[in-house]
Amino acid sequence: MRPGDEVGAVPLDMIQEGSKSAVGRLWRRIKAPLRLLGRAGESLGLSAKLLLLTFVFVMLAEVLIFVPSVANYRITWLSERLTASRLAALAAQAWGEGKVPDPLRTELLRTAQVRAVSWLLPDGQHKQVLPPVKQETVNAKYDLTAAGRSGGFWNDVALRAQLIWDAMAVFFADNSRVITVVGEPVPGDKMIIVVPEGVLKAAMIRYGLNILGLSIIISVITAALVYFALNNMFVQPMMRITRNIMSFSQNPEDASRIIEPSERRDEIGVAERGLAHMQGELSHTLQQKSRLAALGLAVSKISHDLRNMLANAQLISDRLGSLPDPTVQRFAPKLIASLDRAISLCEATLRFGRAEESPPRREYMPLRALIADVGEGLGLPRDDGIAWTIDVDEGLLIDADRDQLYRVLSNLCRNALQALEQQEYGGGGHIRVHATRRGTSVNIDVHDNGPGVPEKARAHLFQAFQGSARKGGTGLGLAVAHELVTAHGGSIRLMDTDSGSGTQFRIEIPDRAG
């Protein structure tokens, strides 16, 4: 019997068919709520998201149980109709060979909840036992005998999927549909029945509502238990960490805002201890920087006033140097040199205390002449035996800010000069400046034969107040030199030298791009 055929002659080639269009309508109905659920979840808090997701996932698990159970209920209901139809057919056969009276036939069909009953004979023929009261148009047909046959794992999976598909299609089918079902209520007795699908749909809806109500109760209880467990174990600790981060960010220097780690040994406990350590380090660093900033401001003010006082002392020292007294003539140059170094230190401190250096005003200029000016400013070569050598070609040009490069070279050469002055050496000291061009960069080497840089000073060589290589030094000269060279896009580094070979710094300044 094919869909659309009238119930009269039931054919034997019964094929399972489902309503794919009904499933398509099901997907269109649930797709819009899923999109709304996704948009709503974006604006919820962590606790609300957890509660919502827990409920959804538990309901999804219930659906995975609900759908197969409804499919099994459909098979059970149809099997019961086959069994009832067999009893009705036996009762009809007990009437004899004559035609069953219409009132009795109607009552038997009503009791079995079917429209027609036929035997399927072994020779492939069929025998109508209870014909329909009126002609019925068949919309679909199903063979339940296939549900009991095993054809391998994947065939069984495909069969279960088909049964679930057919069961879901019932909920979206018209109540006026009529289906034919072939089955075997008793081994050896095959029957064909015609069933109104509206009755099946009503029974499945009742069963589904009962299962749905029970599923909702189980889902709510399970979701609540899971929610409270996860909320106490994960969500609340994460919210505590979040609140602490927000509070700490408002005043990082307040040590009382540092989080107090719990005794947990899991990942959240590790995160709390790591956050506490990081906040402690940050708070300590900010407090130290605040103290250094205040100290720097005080030092700048003191240096400014001290520079003025030292300038006055320098004028007095210059007048003392003009006196003919031999003792004065012997100590005045040393006093003047000391005052010059003190004034230079004050000026360097003031320059370093500014927020930032001005951008370099670069130009191509002869490098040798600039180095010669640096030597003259430092009084090199010295009469006490400190030699001064400039190993630079006359035509070598460098793209740099003249004043800033002068300060860099002056700081390096002054450091070399002071190292040679403090060294007790047998021979004369020597400061040598060598420069070459390598492509688009100029390398400048400042080398002296002094005692070299101590190992403990190398780690913080270019940090102010930490990288001094001599006793009484501040390290400002190297810090300023590093800052100015970096502003040119270049680099300055201490070169490795042999033991006892002094100190060598290399400056690399590239030309401007384009």
Side-chain angles (χ1 to χ4, degrees):
M1 182 176 294
R2 302 179 185 277
D5 290 349
E6 292 183 350
V7 178
V10 182
L12 303 178
D13 56 340
M14 295 196 173
I15 304 173
Q16 290 178 298
E17 294 184 358
S19 178
K20 296 184 179 180
S21 60
V23 177
R25 291 195 298 270
L26 171 64
W27 169 245
R28 287 193 295 272
R29 291 185 182 183
I30 66 175
K31 185 167 61 174
L34 288 177
R35 285 199 298 263
L36 292 176
L37 183 62
R39 287 195 294 266
E42 297 176 357
S43 59
L44 297 177
L46 192 59
S47 297
K49 287 181 180 179
L50 175 62
L51 179 61
L52 178 62
L53 290 176
T54 304
F55 181 78
V56 169
F57 290 151
V58 173
M59 284 299 297
L60 180 61
E62 292 293 336
V63 168
L64 296 178
I65 299 174
F66 170 79
V67 172
S69 65
V70 170
N72 289 334
Y73 177 78
R74 172 178 172 272
I75 298 299
T76 301
W77 191 89
L78 292 176
S79 298
E80 290 176 353
R81 301 286 74 74
L82 285 168
T83 301
S85 298
R86 180 176 180 274
L87 295 176
L90 293 176
Q93 286 182 340
W95 187 260
E97 295 296 331
K99 182 180 179 182
V100 178
D102 290 341
L104 178 59
R105 180 186 62 178
T106 302
E107 181 63 22
L108 291 174
L109 293 175
R110 185 189 65 80
T111 303
Q113 296 182 330
V114 297
R115 298 285 177 85
V117 179
S118 300
W119 291 108
L120 189 57
L121 302 178
D123 58 358
Q125 299 297 321
H126 71 280
K127 177 183 178 181
Q128 281 193 343
V129 181
L130 295 174
V133 176
K134 61 180 181 178
Q135 294 294 326
E136 301 282 356
T137 301
V138 177
N139 302 107
K141 40 185 185 173
Y142 303 94
D143 186 359
L144 298 187
T145 59
R149 294 194 298 265
S150 177
F153 175 76
W154 292 112
N155 289 334
D156 291 343
V157 171
L159 178 60
R160 298 300 300 176
Q162 183 64 43
L163 293 177
I164 292 175
W165 185 293
D166 295 338
M168 292 298 101
V170 174
F171 290 104
F172 303 95
D174 295 333
N175 292 334
S176 60
R177 276 168 47 101
V178 176
I179 63 175
T180 59
V181 181
V182 57
E184 198 172 13
V186 176
D189 287 348
K190 282 191 176 182
M191 302 192 67
I192 302 173
I193 61 175
V194 178
V195 182
E197 201 171 37
V199 180
L200 172 61
K201 181 178 180 180
M204 291 179 61
I205 289 177
R206 287 193 300 270
Y207 176 80
L209 290 177
N210 293 333
I211 296 296
L212 179 62
L214 182 61
S215 299
I216 291 177
I217 295 174
I218 295 175
S219 299
V220 170
I221 296 175
T222 305
L225 294 176
V226 173
Y227 168 75
F228 285 118
L230 295 180
N231 188 64
N232 292 331
M233 293 176 61
F234 301 110
V235 177
Q236 291 301 324
M238 290 302 300
M239 293 179 65
R240 173 175 173 262
I241 293 176
T242 302
R243 288 193 299 268
N244 177 263
I245 292 175
M246 298 300 296
S247 175
F248 182 80
S249 64
Q250 296 175 359
N251 187 9
E253 297 184 27
D254 186 1
S256 64
R257 296 174 182 253
I258 298 176
I259 189 172
E260 295 183 5
S262 63
E263 298 297 328
R264 297 179 60 150
R265 298 299 177 185
D266 55 5
E267 287 78 3
I268 292 182
V270 174
E272 290 176 344
R273 289 186 289 274
L275 178 62
H277 177 73
M278 182 188 67
Q279 289 178 340
E281 292 290 332
L282 180 59
S283 178
H284 176 72
T285 301
L286 292 176
Q287 291 175 3
Q288 185 179 25
K289 286 186 176 295
S290 297
R291 290 194 295 267
L292 288 177
L295 178 61
L297 179 60
V299 170
S300 297
K301 293 179 180 179
I302 294 173
S303 297
H304 181 270
D305 296 337
L306 183 59
R307 182 187 59 180
N308 294 335
M309 291 184 287
L310 290 174
N312 294 332
Q314 188 180 39
L315 293 175
I316 297 174
S317 299
D318 290 339
R319 292 186 179 183
L320 289 175
S322 62
L323 296 177
D325 186 277
T327 304
V328 174
Q329 291 296 326
R330 184 156 54 105
F331 289 106
K334 295 182 179 180
L335 176 61
I336 293 173
S338 299
L339 290 174
D340 288 340
R341 286 194 293 270
I343 292 173
S344 298
L345 176 60
C346 292
E347 291 176 349
T349 303
L350 290 174
R351 284 195 298 267
F352 187 80
R354 292 186 303 183
E356 59 182 6
E357 295 285 350
S358 59
R361 296 187 294 272
R362 304 177 69 163
E363 59 178 343
Y364 283 95
M365 59 183 176
L367 180 58
R368 183 181 179 88
L370 178 65
I371 298 175
D373 291 342
V374 172
E376 292 179 2
L378 296 175
L380 295 172
R382 294 273 291 270
D383 295 335
D384 55 359
I386 299 179
W388 169 252
T389 300
I390 303 176
D391 185 10
V392 181
D393 293 339
E394 291 286 351
L396 179 60
L397 300 180
I398 188 170
D399 183 18
D401 185 304
R402 179 181 179 84
D403 293 338
Q404 292 187 2
L405 184 57
Y406 180 91
R407 290 171 59 190
V408 171
L409 295 175
S410 178
N411 287 337
L412 292 178
C413 294
R414 180 182 292 108
N415 287 347
L417 179 61
Q418 292 172 350
L420 292 173
E421 288 177 342
Q422 293 182 357
Q423 180 185 14
E424 296 180 0
Y425 50 86
H430 186 202
I431 300 176
R432 177 175 176 269
V433 180
H434 171 72
T436 57
R437 173 169 285 278
R438 296 182 180 273
T440 58
S441 300
V442 175
N443 291 348
I444 306 172
D445 291 338
V446 179
H447 183 268
D448 67 76
N449 62 346
V453 179
E455 187 64 31
K456 63 179 182 179
R458 293 174 180 261
H460 307 284
L461 195 59
F462 299 106
Q463 298 181 17
F465 307 109
Q466 299 185 44
S468 176
R470 62 182 176 84
K471 184 178 180 180
T474 62
L476 278 175
L478 291 178
V480 171
H482 180 270
E483 182 179 353
L484 295 177
V485 171
T486 303
H488 282 75
S491 62
I492 178 174
R493 64 184 185 274
L494 176 67
M495 305 297 292
D496 292 331
T497 56
D498 296 334
S499 178
S501 299
T503 304
Q504 179 180 351
F505 284 94
R506 172 164 294 176
I507 303 170
E508 182 179 357
I509 296 182
D511 298 339
R512 283 168 291 180

